[in-house]
Amino acid sequence: MRAASGSQDTLNRLDHRDPLVFDTHELGRRPGSMRKASRTLQAPEGLGIADVIGVPVKSEITLELRLESVVEGVLVTGTAEAHVEGECSRCLEPVEDDLEVDFQELYYYPESDERHRARTTGADDLDEESDEEIYRLEGDFFDLQPVLRDAVVLALPLQPVCQDDCLGLCSECGARLSDDPAHHHDAADPRWAALQGLSAAPGDEGDGIKNSGTREGLAENQEK
C-alpha cells in the first residue's frame, strides 16, 4: 500500500495526546491477539486535494479500527467516515458529500523492520524509496494520520461535479447552463463582418430602382 514518506526522527516524536496516535500496549505482542478501537475526532489539515475538494479542517471524523498482532508488528484495518466539501469543476457551485473509506496498514516493530530491511537489501526490485514506505511503531504507539490522509485523498474525485450531467458555465456570460439549458447568445458570424458595410443603407433602394430604369431606357434608345 502506498504510504506517505517520513523519517525515523519524525516517527520518534509522536505526540501521545494526538487523537490520531493510538496505543497498542493492551494488544501485547502475542500473534493472533486482537482488539477494536472507535474514535470520533476533529479533522486535521491536509485531508483532501488543495483548492478542489476535501474534509474541512476540524470537521468530525469517525474511525472504526481493528488492531491485530502479527509476527512483524501490528496490522491496522479500519474505516473512516467524514464529510467532504469542494466545488464543481464545471460550474463552480459548492459540492458536498459523505465519504467512507477503508484502509489497512502494517506497522512494524522496530526490530522487525531492521530484519525486513536486512532481507531486502540488495534485492533486484528494491528502490530508493522502499525504506520510506514502511511504517513503524514507536514503542507501543503508531500514528494513523499519514495512512488516513492517503486513504482519503485517493478516494476523492480529481474533478468533482455537482451532478453527473452538469452543463457547466456559458463561455460568453458565465451563466450556469443547467439552470437554463436553452440559454444562448445571438452572435454574428465574424466571417461575414466584412460584408456588413456593403449592405444598402435605408432609402437607397429607390435610387437603385431609378438608376436601373435609366440604364434600361438608354439601352432602348441605342437600339433604335
Side-chain angles (χ1 to χ4, degrees), residues 11-184:
L11 292 173
N12 284 337
R13 291 197 299 268
L14 294 182
D15 183 356
H16 301 169
R17 298 167 298 179
D18 188 324
L20 284 170
V21 172
F22 290 80
D23 187 358
T24 66
H25 177 72
E26 295 181 2
L27 187 65
R29 291 198 175 189
R30 299 182 304 276
S33 59
M34 184 270 291
R35 76 178 183 89
K36 295 183 179 181
S38 300
R39 188 171 295 180
T40 299
L41 50 94
Q42 292 184 339
E45 297 181 354
L47 295 186
I49 304 172
D51 301 322
V52 179
I53 191 170
V55 181
V57 177
K58 295 185 177 181
S59 63
E60 188 176 277
I61 296 181
T62 301
L63 297 174
E64 296 290 341
L65 305 181
R66 184 176 74 246
L67 313 180
E68 299 176 81
S69 179
V70 296
V71 174
E72 294 182 310
V74 175
L75 181 64
V76 179
T77 305
T79 300
E81 295 181 3
H83 185 72
V84 297
E85 297 179 0
E87 66 177 26
C88 178
S89 60
R90 298 177 188 171
C91 70
L92 307 182
E93 286 292 304
V95 172
E96 296 186 21
D97 198 5
D98 292 323
L99 180 70
E100 180 176 328
V101 295
D102 299 322
F103 51 86
Q104 185 176 73
E105 192 62 58
L106 175 62
Y107 287 82
Y108 283 87
Y109 298 130
E111 63 274 18
S112 296
D113 178 33
E114 293 297 330
R115 291 195 297 268
H116 172 76
R117 288 190 291 173
R119 289 196 304 269
T120 56
T121 299
D124 293 337
D125 59 348
L126 183 65
D127 57 44
E128 295 179 356
E129 297 182 357
S130 61
D131 183 57
E132 296 181 347
E133 295 177 350
I134 295 175
Y135 291 103
R136 306 170 182 85
L137 290 167
E138 179 193 316
D140 294 323
F141 295 89
F142 69 86
D143 183 7
L144 187 66
Q145 182 167 331
V147 174
L148 177 63
R149 180 184 298 113
D150 280 353
V152 170
V153 171
L154 291 174
L156 292 173
L158 293 176
Q159 295 182 324
V161 291
C162 58
Q163 56 191 48
D164 292 339
D165 57 350
C166 176
L167 299 176
L169 301 176
C170 172
S171 60
E172 296 288 334
C173 66
R176 187 170 183 266
L177 298 179
S178 294
D179 295 334
D180 182 13
H183 177 88
H184 71 283

